[in-house]
Amino acid sequence: MCMWQDALTGRLKHRYCSVLSLKEGLSAAWVPRDPLPECGESGGRDPRDMNHTKGGLVIFTANSHPSSRELGKRIAERLGVELGKVQVYQEANRETRVQIQESVRGKDVFIIQTVSKDVNTTIMEMLIMVYACRTSCARSITGVLPYFPYSKQCKMRKRGSIVSKLIASMVCKAGLTHLITMDLHQKEIQGFFNIPVDNLRASPFLLQYIQEEIPDYRNAVIVAKSPASAKRAQSFAERLRLGIAVIHGEAQDAESDQVDGRHSPPTVKTTGAIHPSMEIPLLIPKEKPPITVVGDVGGRIAIIVDDIIDNVDSFVAAAETLKERGAYKIFVMATHGLLSSDAPRFIEESAIDEVVVTNTIPHELQKLQCPKIKTVDISMILSEAIRRIHNGESMSYLFRNIGVDD
């Protein structure tokens, strides 16, 4: 009996120390208050009781990059479980090798994968781990990809391809049975999968950040840096009871219809191909209007909202335009902070006062380069989604008050 008590005491002491060290290392991100923001009833259960899970739950983090494992540690801590034992590494010839070091037979496996700078290696890690769990007789395999890679390539370009459809087919073929993601670039991407997809939203956490961390947010205006993001800005403005402004006339980006399949083949007259009486009239080419701001931003705080921040040139240009129109403070808020290339330097040298993104993508290095970058922790909603799927509970609680345009 004494040996059993010593072993139990040592185990509890080890768990306490590991949780304590984990909390010390995770204090950099802004953590929302409990319960989940903008959520109501939870079906008779206290929403703060995140540890109530049935047995047979295994959580793996597929990314071999240390900073990318941080989100998996946060989720495991909230669920009160240990991360599964797995080795993910690169061979000398750059092949990805995955070795699962515990039994997953008959268990519900959740694979958390965040996108690192090497996105193609990230995808291969995910595919190999899903297939390894499938061949090891896991009961179900759920992928947790907070940012779905290649989501920008979801439309047909000239002689290109819809790459996000290819990625969806690959993960389904590998053996994935369910997908949890967040703020897909286009909601129609869910139709590329033949498995259930839960597209969670980060807007409740960003809205809570605005209300609690921007003191004079009542004097703010929500800004869409292009007409394409006006719906998202309208959703934020209606929830915060604020005004909205739209910047129109900026240079067209890769999302414009100038580069999609509607301009392929080129509009060149071929007299022998079409009968003169059936000639198709040519569309008048677009002409970019001068930059204008629809809405009043003078003497106000401007909050630019979008789903992805990657190349920050358009955000920097929008901030300069808003400064010229009289905005005295400028925030940029988005779900996914890719922040590629020299984005931290451009943000630091720009008129932007603060960039707020979630931890769907690791960006610790960028935060060291630019103190204007702030992080909002969304592990709470991901861990609750995992708990509900594992226990067979309804997911509607996580989508309460979520509209079509959110």
Side-chain angles (χ1 to χ4, degrees):
M1 180 64 70
C2 184
M3 295 178 60
W4 178 82
Q5 290 178 344
D6 292 342
L8 179 60
T9 304
R11 201 176 311 152
L12 292 174
K13 183 179 180 181
H14 173 72
R15 177 170 294 185
Y16 171 78
C17 294
S18 62
V19 171
L20 183 61
S21 61
L22 180 60
K23 289 182 178 178
E24 292 174 353
L26 301 181
S27 59
W30 183 82
V31 181
R33 66 180 186 275
D34 289 333
L36 293 174
E38 279 205 12
C39 293
E41 67 278 354
S42 57
R45 188 189 60 83
D46 186 355
R48 291 168 290 186
D49 183 15
M50 303 294 290
N51 297 335
H52 181 65
T53 56
K54 299 178 182 178
L57 171 66
V58 180
I59 296 179
F60 291 123
T61 175
N63 206 301
S64 57
H65 196 276
S67 64
S68 300
R69 295 174 58 88
E70 207 65 38
L71 182 61
K73 292 179 181 178
R74 288 175 180 264
I75 293 174
E77 180 190 10
R78 287 186 177 274
L79 291 172
V81 299
E82 300 285 341
L83 283 176
K85 298 178 182 178
V86 62
Q87 279 190 338
V88 183
Y89 58 93
Q90 306 293 320
E91 297 278 10
N93 60 354
R94 303 301 298 167
E95 288 185 358
T96 301
R97 183 174 291 274
V98 174
Q99 293 183 348
I100 298 176
Q101 299 178 324
E102 63 179 84
S103 174
V104 296
R105 181 179 294 273
K107 296 182 179 180
D108 293 330
V109 177
F110 292 83
I111 302 175
I112 301 169
Q113 178 67 308
T114 54
V115 177
S116 62
K117 185 173 291 187
D118 190 354
V119 62
N120 296 323
T121 301
T122 297
I123 294 172
M124 284 306 302
E125 289 177 355
M126 183 72 178
L127 293 173
I128 295 173
M129 180 168 287
V130 169
Y131 189 70
C133 293
R134 176 186 176 185
T135 55
S136 299
C137 302
R139 182 172 64 178
S140 65
I141 308 169
T142 302
V144 183
L145 282 79
Y147 172 71
F148 188 72
Y150 286 94
S151 60
K152 283 188 174 183
Q153 300 188 43
C154 59
K155 296 180 181 179
M156 176 61 73
R157 308 302 180 189
K158 283 187 178 178
R159 293 168 186 84
S161 60
I162 305 176
V163 183
S164 56
K165 165 65 175 175
L166 173 64
I167 302 299
S169 301
M170 291 169 63
V171 296
C172 292
K173 189 67 176 178
L176 207 66
T177 60
H178 201 130
L179 177 67
I180 301 173
T181 187
M182 180 166 284
D183 282 338
L184 287 170
H185 188 55
Q186 297 290 339
K187 298 179 183 65
E188 292 77 11
I189 294 176
Q190 297 177 76
F192 296 158
F193 295 85
N194 54 13
I195 59 175
V197 177
D198 287 312
N199 182 27
L200 304 176
R201 306 295 196 274
S203 55
F205 299 93
L206 297 177
L207 290 168
Q208 183 178 320
Y209 184 93
I210 293 173
Q211 293 173 321
E212 297 185 1
E213 299 299 317
I214 302 179
D216 195 19
Y217 84 93
R218 289 296 181 186
N219 189 35
V221 59
I222 306 299
V223 180
K225 70 179 180 66
S226 67
S229 56
K231 285 187 177 181
R232 179 181 295 269
Q234 181 181 359
S235 174
F236 273 66
E238 290 176 351
R239 295 179 187 279
L240 294 171
R241 278 63 171 174
L242 300 176
I244 183 174
V246 180
I247 300 176
H248 180 55
E250 78 279 5
Q252 296 193 3
D253 54 17
E255 293 293 316
S256 67
D257 62 352
Q258 293 285 339
V259 293
D260 67 14
R262 287 173 286 182
H263 288 265
S264 178
T267 55
V268 179
K269 292 184 178 181
T270 55
T271 55
I274 302 177
H275 193 275
S277 63
M278 299 178 61
E279 184 175 344
I280 300 174
L282 297 178
L283 192 65
I284 299 174
K286 291 183 179 180
E287 182 178 351
K288 184 182 69 173
I291 294 179
T292 57
V293 179
V294 182
D296 182 21
V297 297
R300 296 190 176 188
I301 300 172
I303 304 176
I304 305 173
V305 296
D306 212 334
D307 62 330
I308 299 174
I309 301 180
D310 189 1
N311 188 345
V312 297
D313 292 344
S314 60
F315 291 94
V316 171
E320 293 175 355
T321 301
L322 294 171
K323 276 289 186 183
E324 294 173 359
R325 299 301 195 279
Y328 72 91
K329 207 167 187 180
I330 299 172
F331 290 80
V332 176
M333 311 199 76
T335 303
H336 310 295
L338 274 68
L339 302 172
S340 303
S341 189
D342 293 329
R345 179 172 61 85
F346 291 148
I347 293 172
E348 186 66 25
E349 298 172 356
S350 70
I352 299 173
D353 293 283
E354 192 170 288
V355 174
V356 182
V357 293
T358 69
N359 55 347
T360 57
I361 298 173
H363 46 263
E364 283 76 10
L365 180 60
Q366 289 89 334
K367 290 177 68 175
L368 293 175
Q369 297 171 347
C370 177
K372 292 182 179 180
I373 301 173
K374 308 297 181 183
T375 306
V376 174
D377 180 30
I378 46 84
S379 62
M380 180 191 302
I381 191 170
L382 294 176
S383 57
E384 178 65 7
I386 291 174
R387 192 197 65 79
R388 287 177 173 270
I389 291 173
H390 174 61
N391 292 345
E393 299 178 16
S394 173
M395 294 287 288
S396 60
Y397 166 65
L398 302 181
F399 294 95
R400 188 166 183 256
N401 296 330
I402 298 295
V404 177
D405 297 330
D406 291 333

